[in-house]
Amino acid sequence: MLVLGIETTCDETAAAVVERQDGGRATILSNVVLSQIAEHAAFGGVVPEIAARAHVEALDLIIATAMADAGREFSALDGVAAAAGPGLIGGVIVGLTTAKAIAIVHEKPLIAVNHLEAHALTARLTDGISFPYCLFLASGGHTQIVAVRGVGDYVRLGTTRDDAIGEAFDKTAKLLGLGYPGGPRVEQEAAHGDRGRFLLPRPMIGRHDADFSLSGLKTALRLEAERIAPLSDQDVADLCASFQLAVVETVVDRLRQGLRIFRQRFGAPTALVAAGGVASNQAIRDAMLDVALQDQVALVIPPPSLCTDNAAMIAWAGAERLTHGLCDTLDTSPRARWPLDQVIKPIVVESAAPMETAPVAAEALATDPAGNEAAVPDSLPTDPSSTASSSTETSKTAEAPPSDAAPSDPAPSAIA
Ligand code: KG4
Ligand code: ZN
C-alpha cells in the first residue's frame, strides 16, 4: 500500500511517501520537510498568518519533490493522507485542500489524519510494535500519557492541566532571550549549565494520577531570572539546566504513574513509547530509558527527525487507517481542535476479514461548519449502511502482526 502524506498543521511544510507491506512492514520512500523557522524567528514564535501563506507558497514543490524522491507516479498511490487537525487552521486548510485536489484528480481515497494520531502511531512505522502500548506524547501543544490500544483506539491516562511541555520550553527560551524554536535552544544551553544551581519546583510529583502542570515551574523560573538579573551567559545556562532537570524529574514521576495506571486498566504494555517534538530532547530520552529499565518494559523512541513534525507519520497513519478500510469524503472539514479520543475507530467485522474497500463520510457528517469537533460522536461506522453503532470497543479488527523491520530510511531530506 502506497500513501502520500501531507503535513501543514504548524510551521513545517512536509510531504512524504510511505509504503506499507501486507505484514505491516514499512518503508519510507521519501520524507521532505521545509522548516519555516526563518520566517517566524523575528517574532519569537509561530505567526499563524505567515505560516499559512508559507505553506501555500511551498507545498506544491514539496509534494513534487517527495514524489520524485520516491520515484513513483501519483497513479501508483493507494491513498492521499493529510493532517486535518488539530493545528493552526490556515495551514490545515492548505494541506487538506491540496490533498483533496490530488485525490480528485487521480481518483484516490482521501485520508484526513489526526496529527496526534500520526505521532501516536509513529513507533509502529519505525519499530513495528504491536498494541497495546503506553505513549508519552509531548509536543508544543500537547502533553499526554495515552494507552494506545489499536488504530483509532486511544485512552488518555494523563494530560497537562495548563501548559504543554514544549510550550514551557518555548516560553523559557523566550524569557531568557534565546529565541525560537525554544526546545533545542534550551537543551543546548543546559548542556553547559549547572543543573543544581536553582532549586525549581517539580509540579505534581508524588500524586497518584498521571497529570502534568508546567505553569508553576515556568513562573518559578521567571522569578529566579528576575531575582539575579542582569543575566550573564552562565546564568542563562544554569537556569536552562535547572529547568530541564525539573522537567525531566517530573516526566519520570508522571511516567511511572502512567505505567502503573496502564497496567491496572489494560495489563502489561508492549512498550513505553515517546512521540512529539519534546521526545527529541536527549535528557528526556535518557530519563525514559531509566523508567523503562526499572519498569521492565521495552522502550521505543523514534529518531528525532520522526519525533518532530513530519509527513512520513501522516502517510503512515493514513496507511494504517486505509488498511482498516477507513477513509474520508471530500467534504471533510479541517479542524483547529480535534482531541485524540475523538478519532474514528474501525468497526468490528465479524468474519475478521480486513475490509477491502472503504470510504465513508463519517467526519464530514460530524463536523460543524467552523471545523470544530463539538458535534463529533465517540465513534462512527465506516459504512453508512452499517448498524454497528455501538462500536466504541471495536478496534481489534484486522490488526497486522508486528513487523520486526525498521523503515529503510527514516532521515528526512530538508529543502532550504
Ligand atoms: O511535535 P512538534 O514538532 O510540533 C507540534 O506538534 O507541536 O513539537 C514542537 C515542540 C516545540 O515546543 C519545541 O520547542 C519542542 O517540541 N522541542 C523540544 C526539543 N525539540 C523540539 N523541546 C525540548 N527539547 C528539544 N530538543
Ligand atoms: Zn506535532
Side-chain angles (χ1 to χ4, degrees), residues 70-301:
R72 304 292 175 92
E73 301 294 327
F74 285 109
S75 57
L77 295 172
D78 294 295
V80 183
L88 300 174
I89 196 66
V92 178
I93 290 170
V94 173
L96 184 58
T97 307
T98 304
K100 287 176 181 179
I102 295 171
I104 292 169
V105 170
H106 298 282
E107 299 182 332
K108 304 294 177 188
L110 170 77
I111 310 104
V113 168
N114 179 302
H115 177 93
L116 303 176
E117 178 173 43
H119 276 306
L121 296 174
T122 301
R124 284 169 56 78
L125 163 68
T126 57
D127 292 75
I129 60 168
S130 53
F131 301 117
Y133 52 86
C134 185
L135 170 73
F136 174 47
L137 173 57
S139 66
H142 298 87
T143 300
Q144 300 179 5
I145 298 175
V146 180
V148 180
R149 305 200 307 160
V151 172
D153 190 357
Y154 310 105
V155 179
R156 202 171 62 192
L157 305 178
T159 189
T160 181
R161 300 189 176 184
D162 37 61
D163 293 351
I165 294 183
E167 189 182 355
F169 269 94
D170 292 337
K171 287 177 176 171
T172 295
K174 198 168 182 177
L175 176 84
L176 299 177
L178 297 175
Y180 164 86
R185 297 300 320 278
V186 170
E187 183 175 11
Q188 280 161 15
E189 291 295 322
H192 50 89
D194 173 5
R195 60 187 199 162
R197 179 170 164 201
F198 301 99
L199 188 59
L200 299 171
R202 274 77 167 139
M204 312 295 275
I205 278 196
R207 292 176 57 108
H208 275 267
D209 58 43
D211 284 346
F212 293 80
S213 169
L214 277 303
S215 68
L217 171 58
K218 183 189 64 188
T219 305
L221 178 108
R222 180 173 55 76
L223 293 175
E224 286 295 327
E226 286 171 0
R227 186 174 63 77
I228 61 166
L231 302 178
S232 67
D233 287 350
Q234 193 57 50
D235 291 335
V236 169
D238 293 347
L239 282 163
C240 287
S242 301
F243 168 81
Q244 185 170 275
L245 179 64
V247 171
V248 163
E249 291 188 359
T250 305
V251 166
V252 165
D253 180 77
R254 303 292 74 205
L255 285 181
R256 288 198 177 119
Q257 290 299 333
L259 283 165
R260 182 185 59 76
I261 296 168
F262 189 107
R263 284 203 163 84
Q264 261 175 9
R265 294 183 61 181
F266 309 113
T270 58
L272 174 63
V273 169
V278 176
S280 56
N281 180 291
Q282 193 56 46
I284 291 177
R285 296 167 83 94
D286 293 345
M288 288 189 72
L289 182 58
D290 291 343
V291 172
L293 284 173
Q294 204 171 38
D295 214 81
Q296 297 192 315
V297 63
L299 178 70
V300 176
I301 308 184

